[in-house]
Amino acid sequence: MLFSYADLDEALRLLISELVADGAEARIGVVGAAAVALQVGREALTRDVDALYAPNPAIDDAVRRIARARNWPDTWLNDAAKMFASHHDTEADWEIWSAEHGVVISVARPQLLLAMKLLAGRGRRDAGDIDRLLDACEIRSRETAAELFDRYYPAEVIAPAAERQLRSRFP
């Protein structure tokens, strides 16, 4: 399964419908490649939707029901990106994509996404998104990218592959 922009839109709307029908309340923050697609028009497809959310059986059940109905993997929405979550982001770093009856889906803004991608720095896997996000954030130097990164991850370092990419782009 590869999600296009239209698939992402459909999947998130289905999730909202399922959660609202269950009477559940949930806050879900979309990050990763899906968020890049929603925020800056990533052309490449994504295999899943990385999200940050508190453990919630209602979300898990809704994700499984949608997966069965659409023949998608049960992990089409997952919280595997939680290891890259910043503890220094604010509400301003998130754009509400939809809010209905206690279900709020937000998408990380490009600055937070860039910092997360610089932390993950998985070489070719993240390189295109990093370049796209550098452009979207109007970053013109390695120093400015490092300052943005430090805002979200003051105790961390930029991943070596991402650091090499920044040094190559901004000699």
Side-chain angles (χ1 to χ4, degrees), residues 4 19 25 38 48 65 76 80 109 129 138 143 151:
S4 67
L19 291 170
E25 292 189 4
L38 294 169
D48 59 8
R65 284 193 307 269
W76 72 265
R109 293 190 187 275
D129 285 346
E138 299 181 357
E143 293 75 19
R151 182 172 124 208

Side-chain angles (χ1 to χ4, degrees), residues 41-57:
R42 180 184 203 259
E43 297 94 24
L45 304 174
T46 183
R47 295 188 187 285
D48 59 8
V49 179
D50 295 320
L52 304 176
Y53 53 92
N56 184 331

Side-chain angles (χ1 to χ4, degrees), residues 27-137:
R27 296 187 68 80
I28 300 168
V30 178
V31 295
V36 175
L38 294 169
Q39 287 287 16
V40 298
R42 180 184 203 259
E43 297 94 24
L45 304 174
T46 183
R47 295 188 187 285
D48 59 8
V49 179
D50 295 320
L52 304 176
Y53 53 92
N56 184 331
I59 294 174
D60 297 338
D61 291 344
V63 167
R64 279 191 295 275
R65 284 193 307 269
I66 293 167
R68 280 192 296 268
R70 296 284 194 249
N71 198 29
W72 294 345
D74 284 348
T75 56
W76 72 265
L77 179 93
N78 66 78
D79 66 351
K82 66 185 168 198
M83 72 179 92
F84 301 114
S86 170
H87 301 290
H88 300 277
D89 58 315
T90 67
E91 282 189 37
D93 293 309
W94 297 87
E95 180 179 336
I96 294 177
W97 186 81
S98 180
E100 295 182 32
H101 307 287
V103 178
V104 179
I105 296 183
S106 299
V107 180
R109 293 190 187 275
Q111 293 81 3
L112 176 56
L113 289 170
L114 175 58
M116 291 178 87
K117 290 288 185 176
L118 291 173
L119 179 65
R122 298 167 294 185
R124 289 185 181 153
R125 181 174 175 184
D126 288 326
D129 285 346
I130 289 172
D131 279 337
R132 194 171 286 104
L133 291 164
L134 287 166
D135 292 341
C137 295

